[in-house]
Amino acid sequence: MATYCLTVARLQLALGHGARRLHVSAAYRAKAVSMSRFEPTSFINYEKLQSNLDIVQKRLSRPLTLSEKIVYSHLDDPHNQDIERGTTYLRLHPDRVAMQDATAQMAMLQFISSGLPKVAVPSTIHCDHLIEAQIGGPKDLARAKDVNKEVYNFLASAGAKYGVGFWKPGSGIIHQIILENYAYPGVMLIGTDSHTPNGGGLGSICIGVGGADAVDVMAGIPWELKCPKVIGVKLTGSLSGWTSPKDVILKVAGILTVKGGTGAIVEYFGPGVDSISCTGMATICNMGAEIGATTSVFPYNHRMKTYLEKTGRGQIASLADEYSHMLVPDEGCEYDQVIEINLDELKPHINGPFTPDLAHPVSEVGAVAEKNGWPLEVKVGLIGSCTNSSYEDMGRAASVAKQALDKGLKCKAAFTVTPGSEQIRATIERDGYSKILEDVGGVVMANACGPCIGQWDRQDVKKGEKNTIVTSFNRNFTARNDANPATHAFVTSPEIVTAMAIAGSLSFNPETDFLTASNGEKFMLVPPTGDELPARDFDPGQDTYQHPPAVGSSLAVDVSPQSNRLQLLEPFDRWSGGDLENLDVLIKVKGKCTTDHISAAGPWLKFRGHLDNISNNMLIGAVNSENDAINSIKNHMTGEYGGVPDVARHYKANGVSWVVVGDDNYGEGSSREHAALEPRHLGGRAIIVKSFARIHETNLKKQGMLPLTFNTPSDYDKIRHDDKITIKGLKTLTPGTPLSALLKHADGSEDTLQLNHTFNETQIEWFKAGSALNRMKELQ
């Protein structure tokens, strides 16, 4: 049996089951035993995956893309599974689960509700979302440990009881930890965060999901995924100068837009791939979430091998070499769409504001900003986050900062630095990068998500004050970073952020523009440089990992009934068995409605484990098409206007069910299932839109909601705010069969619309049971 493992303890376990013996050096063994960050939680049997793949390839009789190879090798039933890209639902067995602390709360509460004694696959919890950036790393971390003590204790104790590893606050951002420890070529991992695809930089299929999907996998139940289409991105040429890996995905986002990757895996290939570092490939895959892609992936190459070796996983690299034919696409494979990018010609890009697909070359953004009235002064430059916080990223940013310091300059803008992990923090501190970035004016924040997800106690501007920030993050929706809807946020590479923070202007182009030194001399910044990996080994920093005990069944997990942070879940009600009649229109949403609009993060993160409290933020960021107002809708029972959650609660208290009507790509952005749980909790029955983002549509199904789309998109205009809607055809709900909606208008007239759905047989059972969790318990 050709099995390989992530670290020593799992190697020993595997060897006890007849696994292939791999040499482990004494030094590595000592390091693994002394540092729990190397503690393993999964191993993979390439021989089994190859066997599954052989079965599928014989059936399909065609060359396969890399995406197909990894996905199909994880099929529950490779002999009989229907496989048609973009059409059939696949039943899969992912290798592991990862959860960040904000989504892990609800995921673990659902797992507890399932009644199962222990997770069936290796799983981990990562504390990265609840640390607010205020002053600086150490003080912010200490404050977070105090403020979030109840939640951290819950997650740690639940992890210990149910066999889930626990990465403590301060350990770093989930995706960086996965890359450093758990991602490897050919693995299939699901994570309760939309940027889980970061692991594609190591040849992994890593997919963002909601907590209910994670519960399925942790329960050992085959996980369903609509068979993805595959978009190929052919890279030629090589990166050089100011152009970085970030520019690849910024360019792709401009081409495909925020919904162009929906239902597809983006697979990079071509000779240009080898010019990109492993962590650079991870950056590209990470931000692939912003185009709606199921995930993104790169083929195995020497860059990945080097990274595996540098992170203590040389044995994995050796075995990946042996099975490399599985970890690259077949010659002659076909993609559903192909985009070609010549890296020799690619210029530095910056995307925004307010959407990550509004792409501009850095050389042009200043003129575009002037034309559109966007503020040119950069108030804050922010580097780091799960997208761009690698050793290479920090090194290139530091090389720019060093040039400014040598000329007597510091940043004109405020400047923050967020290390992606404790390992990165410790290593860049040891190697002097942190000091350079601090000397130029930077503040090093905690190893956490921080401002990228709105965990930022920003004090330099007032809410409503128009301003510009430039970040190396992945997402820049309205008010996302600082809760200020007037903040114009742009995303770009860390080196461009650093250059613009030094210059203090959005119009600064480091390829052509001059800075003025402290002595009055004009000078230009030379293109940044930075080592791909440290010359010495990484410094792992502090030990921040808690491995679950072998047996945790006797341990207690306490949730106080008086808590305002945590709340045990009650099952949702079953479907009544008939049509849904006379539903009120709670809100008809106008324009972009992301999961940030549906369930805001920032200060609301504290309630992610308490469904009733978090529901007070439901749709408070959405624009009501009736009055173009935010969080102001008409209560049709009282005739008065109120907040969206308040009106929903009033309807629920009076037995009135309701629907939400929305626009295109509804629910884009985060994987947060709270955006589906909250409408269900407050009495919602259906969400009717022009189109859905993938994760949100699935999350709605999981919670017993009806995600429906207009057969004719212009039918959106037929629905009025005071309509009563009856959804017909539920008694005969079957895959591929449309439903209908009868609209009763206040003036006595009526309209009938056709509504489409993507339910399969299994998902219909979720709806009938009231939720996927209810259905799971029925089958136990």
Side-chain angles (χ1 to χ4, degrees), residues 681-710:
H681 175 62
L682 294 185
R685 292 298 179 179
I687 310 292
I688 306 171
V689 300
K690 294 179 182 178
S691 64
F692 282 104
R694 174 190 65 86
I695 300 176
H696 186 59
E697 182 182 23
T698 300
N699 286 345
L700 288 167
K701 292 177 182 178
K702 287 279 186 178
Q703 304 306 334
M705 294 283 286
L706 285 173
L708 305 172
T709 55
F710 296 106

Side-chain angles (χ1 to χ4, degrees), residues 73-90:
S73 66
H74 286 84
L75 286 170
D76 177 55
D77 183 2
H79 289 282
N80 300 301
Q81 171 72 62
D82 289 334
I83 300 172
E84 184 178 348
R85 293 200 314 219
T87 301
T88 57
Y89 280 88
L90 306 179

Side-chain angles (χ1 to χ4, degrees), residues 41-45 49 70 74 93-97 120-123 184 186-190 205 217:
T41 53
S42 76
F43 59 90
I44 189 170
N45 185 340
L49 297 185
I70 300 176
H74 286 84
H93 281 293
D95 298 300
R96 66 173 301 114
V97 174
V121 301
S123 305
Y184 50 88
V187 72
M188 174 175 272
L189 177 151
I190 68 165
I205 291 293
V217 178

Side-chain angles (χ1 to χ4, degrees), residues 237-397:
S238 60
L239 293 174
S240 62
W242 283 92
T243 306
S244 74
K246 186 67 165 284
D247 297 306
V248 175
I249 186 57
L250 294 173
K251 178 70 172 179
V252 170
I255 295 169
L256 287 176
T257 77
V258 291
K259 64 177 183 177
T262 303
I265 293 176
V266 178
E267 182 172 313
Y268 294 84
F269 68 99
V273 166
D274 285 342
S275 74
I276 304 173
S277 66
C278 176
T279 52
M281 290 186 262
T283 290
I284 294 167
C285 292
N286 177 295
M287 196 176 161
E290 307 318 314
I291 57 173
T294 300
T295 192
S296 302
V297 68
F298 277 83
Y300 178 65
N301 67 1
H302 70 281
R303 300 275 196 163
M304 296 182 192
K305 179 178 181 177
T306 301
Y307 184 81
L308 286 168
E309 291 170 342
K310 268 290 186 181
T311 51
R313 296 172 287 173
Q315 292 81 10
I316 295 175
S318 296
L319 200 56
D321 283 344
E322 184 178 336
Y323 283 87
S324 60
H325 60 282
M326 284 180 57
L327 306 173
V328 295
D330 288 335
E331 187 174 348
C333 67
E334 294 187 359
Y335 297 97
D336 294 283
Q337 177 183 353
V338 175
I339 296 167
E340 186 164 343
I341 296 176
N342 185 339
L343 301 180
D344 289 335
E345 299 173 355
L346 182 64
K347 289 294 186 179
H349 272 63
I350 182 168
N351 290 19
F354 307 122
T355 184
D357 59 349
L358 186 57
H360 321 274
V362 168
S363 60
E364 299 175 11
V365 71
V368 175
E370 282 194 276
K371 180 181 178 181
N372 288 285
W374 303 335
L376 286 175
E377 181 190 2
V378 174
K379 287 286 189 180
V380 190
L382 305 98
I383 66 171
S385 85
C386 65
T387 319
N388 276 116
S389 59
S390 68
Y391 186 83
E392 179 182 38
D393 287 329
M394 294 301 177
R396 285 171 66 88

Side-chain angles (χ1 to χ4, degrees), residues 629-647:
I630 293 173
N631 199 29
S632 177
I633 62 172
K634 188 174 184 178
N635 183 327
H636 296 296
M637 296 184 71
T638 67
E640 299 176 352
Y641 281 80
V644 182
D646 300 325
V647 175

Side-chain angles (χ1 to χ4, degrees), residues 733-735 757 759-769:
L733 179 61
T734 53
H757 66 86
F759 281 91
N760 62 24
E761 293 287 1
T762 299
Q763 294 167 348
I764 289 171
E765 294 303 316
W766 300 345
F767 170 71
K768 291 178 178 179

